[in-house]
Amino acid sequence: MQHKFDEQSQQTARQNHQHALSTLVAYQATGSMSYITSSSKYYGRFFINQFSDNQYQLKLTTPVGSPIFSLTVTPYLAELTDRDGKKYTDENVERLMAKLTGMDIPFKSLHNWFKGLSNNLNQDKWDAQGRLATTTLSQDNQNWLLTISKYTTYRLANKNIDLPARIEMVNKNNRLKMTINNWKLN
């Protein structure tokens, strides 16, 4: 009987956590990242300012703070400004990023996977606190394995919410590692 209660309490914790994440629309986050392919490697500091599910800004700098690029995404346009201030635009953020930086990351669903929102409640794997541990993302004919290995607790609307502190995404050609040092919840 105890086993059934544990399963129900974990399921309730999972549902509560996923609901809290779904209400988190606007935030800022900072940290470090590395992006590794067979032919290139990026390492830097990032700043994400998420305004809504489909509108955000991502800045990437070198470890010492020199700009690498700034990406602004709206529902209809993505604009990348390179380190020299030159601007490039495309309606498709993934195509723009792959063409200009070589980064092949599922940016369209950034607003979900970055905060640990489940892609498939029935098939995803969860930790003991009901938080997303692993999921598979499919986007543009690519499958990504997303692993969140560490969470940090923050306050949102007078309640605690656990947000990712360490994310890793892997597909057959690429590896993205992110360490989130700080979340600012709006």
Side-chain angles (χ1 to χ4, degrees):
M1 197 67 169
Q2 181 67 28
H3 188 276
K4 183 72 171 165
F5 176 75
D6 288 344
E7 283 181 30
Q8 286 176 331
S9 63
Q10 283 183 344
Q11 184 176 2
T12 300
R14 178 173 57 229
Q15 289 170 341
N16 289 341
H17 186 244
Q18 290 295 296
H19 175 71
L21 291 175
S22 69
T23 65
L24 177 61
V25 176
Y27 57 83
Q28 295 175 353
T30 59
S32 59
M33 65 163 278
S34 64
Y35 180 79
I36 303 164
T37 70
S38 58
S39 60
S40 64
K41 182 176 181 179
Y42 282 94
Y43 177 77
R45 306 271 313 144
F46 70 84
F47 169 77
I48 294 176
N49 191 0
Q50 184 86 35
F51 304 106
S52 66
D53 284 350
N54 54 11
Q55 190 169 346
Y56 61 90
Q57 184 174 43
L58 168 66
K59 293 180 181 182
L60 186 64
T61 65
T62 65
V64 294
S66 301
I68 296 174
F69 67 78
S70 176
L71 175 68
T72 301
V73 177
T74 67
Y76 307 105
L77 190 67
E79 180 181 86
L80 183 136
T81 305
D82 69 13
R83 68 180 79 214
D84 300 320
K86 190 167 181 187
K87 295 181 184 305
Y88 304 87
T89 61
D90 196 315
E91 297 88 26
N92 183 306
V93 63
E94 277 99 5
R95 184 172 54 216
L96 179 69
M97 290 299 292
K99 184 170 80 174
L100 295 175
T101 69
M103 289 185 179
D104 189 12
I105 298 170
F107 284 101
K108 285 182 213 159
S109 57
L110 173 79
H111 62 280
N112 284 339
W113 62 257
F114 186 74
K115 61 186 178 185
L117 199 59
S118 174
N119 194 44
N120 186 327
L121 288 172
N122 296 323
Q123 293 183 358
D124 289 343
K125 294 195 176 29
W126 307 90
D127 67 12
Q129 290 79 37
R131 304 172 302 195
L132 183 64
T134 61
T135 188
T136 301
L137 300 169
S138 296
Q139 193 164 297
D140 296 332
N141 297 319
Q142 289 193 60
N143 290 324
W144 289 86
L145 177 64
L146 170 79
T147 303
I148 302 174
S149 59
K150 183 178 178 185
Y151 282 84
T152 304
T153 303
Y154 291 89
R155 295 290 285 172
L156 175 65
N158 296 318
K159 294 180 182 175
N160 287 341
I161 185 170
D162 292 339
L163 295 167
R166 195 167 296 130
I167 297 172
E168 183 173 4
M169 292 181 68
V170 179
N171 74 5
K172 62 182 177 180
N173 301 315
N174 309 297
R175 177 179 303 265
L176 171 67
K177 291 184 177 183
M178 301 179 86
T179 301
I180 299 102
N181 298 327
N182 190 41
W183 288 84
K184 181 180 176 190
L185 308 180
N186 300 338

